Amino acid sequence: QEQLVESGGGSVEAGGSLRLSCAASGYIYRRNCMAWFRQVPGKEREGVATIYSNGGGGSTQYADSVKGRFTISQDNAKNTVYLQMNSLKPEDTAQYYCAAAALVTGCPWSPVAFPYWGQGTQVTVSS
Protein backbone atom coordinates (compact mmCIF):
# COMPACT_ATOMS: atom_id res chain seq x y z
CA GLN A 1 0.00 0.00 0.00
CA GLU A 2 1.37 3.36 -0.99
CA GLN A 3 1.31 5.95 1.74
CA LEU A 4 3.15 8.84 3.35
CA VAL A 5 3.32 9.11 7.13
CA GLU A 6 4.53 12.29 8.81
CA SER A 7 5.88 12.57 12.34
CA GLY A 8 7.87 14.97 14.48
CA GLY A 9 5.42 17.81 14.97
CA GLY A 10 4.84 19.42 18.34
CA SER A 11 4.91 22.62 20.34
CA VAL A 12 8.00 24.74 20.78
CA GLU A 13 8.88 28.26 21.78
CA ALA A 14 10.02 30.82 19.25
CA GLY A 15 13.64 30.27 18.32
CA GLY A 16 13.40 26.54 18.87
CA SER A 17 13.81 23.67 16.42
CA LEU A 18 11.86 20.67 15.21
CA ARG A 19 12.56 17.96 12.66
CA LEU A 20 9.69 16.54 10.69
CA SER A 21 9.93 13.12 9.07
CA CYS A 22 7.95 11.68 6.18
CA ALA A 23 8.20 7.93 5.71
CA ALA A 24 7.14 6.70 2.29
CA SER A 25 6.02 3.18 1.51
CA GLY A 26 5.16 1.35 -1.64
CA TYR A 27 6.04 2.92 -4.96
CA ILE A 28 5.67 6.44 -3.64
CA TYR A 29 9.33 6.76 -2.90
CA ARG A 30 10.05 6.30 -6.57
CA ARG A 31 8.30 9.57 -7.15
CA ASN A 32 11.13 11.96 -7.85
CA CYS A 33 9.58 15.06 -6.36
CA MET A 34 9.01 15.24 -2.60
CA ALA A 35 7.73 18.32 -0.86
CA TRP A 36 6.55 19.82 2.38
CA PHE A 37 3.51 22.07 2.48
CA ARG A 38 1.77 23.80 5.36
CA GLN A 39 -1.70 25.13 5.98
CA VAL A 40 -3.44 27.20 8.61
CA PRO A 41 -7.23 27.32 8.95
CA GLY A 42 -8.83 29.67 6.47
CA LYS A 43 -5.77 29.91 4.25
CA GLU A 44 -4.56 28.05 1.19
CA ARG A 45 -1.98 25.32 1.46
CA GLU A 46 1.45 26.76 0.72
CA GLY A 47 4.69 25.14 -0.35
CA VAL A 48 7.54 25.23 2.14
CA ALA A 49 10.33 23.15 0.58
CA THR A 50 10.84 20.68 -2.25
CA ILE A 51 13.50 18.20 -3.23
CA TYR A 52 13.80 16.87 -6.77
CA SER A 53 15.80 13.77 -7.63
CA ASN A 54 16.90 13.42 -11.23
CA GLY A 55 19.41 10.61 -10.85
CA GLY A 56 22.35 12.94 -10.39
CA GLY A 57 21.48 14.11 -6.94
CA GLY A 58 18.72 16.17 -5.36
CA SER A 59 17.95 19.82 -6.02
CA THR A 60 16.09 21.79 -3.40
CA GLN A 61 14.05 24.93 -3.26
CA TYR A 62 12.50 26.87 -0.42
CA ALA A 63 9.80 29.40 0.15
CA ASP A 64 11.24 32.84 0.85
CA SER A 65 9.70 32.80 4.32
CA VAL A 66 11.79 29.82 5.41
CA LYS A 67 15.06 30.25 3.50
CA GLY A 68 18.04 30.00 5.79
CA ARG A 69 15.98 28.42 8.56
CA PHE A 70 14.54 25.20 7.10
CA THR A 71 16.38 22.37 5.37
CA ILE A 72 14.82 19.54 3.36
CA SER A 73 16.74 16.31 2.94
CA GLN A 74 16.15 12.67 2.15
CA ASP A 75 17.51 9.32 3.22
CA ASN A 76 17.03 6.88 0.35
CA ALA A 77 17.96 3.89 2.49
CA LYS A 78 15.09 4.70 4.86
CA ASN A 79 12.65 5.99 2.22
CA THR A 80 12.28 9.08 4.36
CA VAL A 81 12.24 12.80 3.71
CA TYR A 82 13.03 15.25 6.48
CA LEU A 83 12.35 18.90 7.18
CA GLN A 84 14.72 20.40 9.72
CA MET A 85 13.19 23.60 11.06
CA ASN A 86 15.38 26.00 13.03
CA SER A 87 14.79 29.47 14.43
CA LEU A 88 11.07 28.82 14.44
CA LYS A 89 8.68 31.76 14.52
CA PRO A 90 5.04 31.96 15.64
CA GLU A 91 4.06 32.46 11.99
CA ASP A 92 5.42 28.98 11.24
CA THR A 93 2.51 27.54 13.20
CA ALA A 94 0.53 25.32 10.84
CA GLN A 95 -0.40 21.79 9.88
CA TYR A 96 2.53 20.44 7.87
CA TYR A 97 2.00 17.94 5.06
CA CYS A 98 4.36 15.75 3.08
CA ALA A 99 3.60 15.26 -0.62
CA ALA A 100 5.00 13.24 -3.52
CA ALA A 101 4.78 13.31 -7.29
CA ALA A 102 6.49 11.90 -10.38
CA LEU A 103 7.47 14.87 -12.53
CA VAL A 104 9.86 15.46 -15.38
CA THR A 105 10.92 19.07 -15.11
CA GLY A 106 11.23 19.59 -11.38
CA CYS A 107 9.02 20.28 -8.39
CA PRO A 108 6.31 22.92 -8.68
CA TRP A 109 4.84 24.86 -5.79
CA SER A 110 1.25 24.08 -6.70
CA PRO A 111 -0.39 21.50 -4.43
CA VAL A 112 -2.55 20.26 -7.30
CA ALA A 113 0.53 18.76 -8.94
CA PHE A 114 0.98 16.29 -6.08
CA PRO A 115 -1.24 13.18 -6.07
CA TYR A 116 0.11 11.68 -2.85
CA TRP A 117 -0.28 13.26 0.58
CA GLY A 118 0.33 12.37 4.18
CA GLN A 119 -2.16 12.96 6.98
CA GLY A 120 -0.31 15.98 8.34
CA THR A 121 1.44 16.85 11.57
CA GLN A 122 0.82 19.96 13.68
CA VAL A 123 3.56 22.44 14.47
CA THR A 124 2.82 25.12 17.05
CA VAL A 125 5.30 27.88 17.86
CA SER A 126 4.61 30.10 20.85
CA SER A 127 6.03 33.57 21.33
Side-chain angles (χ1 to χ4, degrees), residues 20-78:
L20 305 183
S21 299
C22 173
S25 62
Y27 288 102
I28 287 183
Y29 204 72
R30 299 182 186 180
R31 311 304 177 188
N32 57 352
C33 178
M34 303 293 291
W36 287 95
F37 288 80
R38 65 186 181 187
Q39 189 171 25
V40 297
K43 292 189 176 182
E44 294 185 351
R45 192 166 295 188
E46 65 170 351
V48 175
T50 71
I51 185 165
Y52 179 68
S53 302
N54 57 5
S59 60
T60 60
Q61 58 181 353
Y62 299 91
D64 288 342
S65 59
V66 306
K67 280 182 181 177
R69 300 188 297 121
F70 290 12
T71 303
I72 188 171
S73 62
Q74 60 186 12
D75 185 334
N76 293 329
K78 296 182 178 180

Side-chain angles (χ1 to χ4, degrees), residues 67-98:
K67 280 182 181 177
R69 300 188 297 121
F70 290 12
T71 303
I72 188 171
S73 62
Q74 60 186 12
D75 185 334
N76 293 329
K78 296 182 178 180
N79 289 354
T80 300
V81 175
Y82 302 98
L83 184 68
Q84 178 66 44
M85 305 185 295
N86 299 327
S87 301
L88 283 162
K89 303 176 181 180
E91 51 263 44
D92 295 318
T93 296
Q95 186 84 348
Y96 282 72
Y97 297 90
C98 177

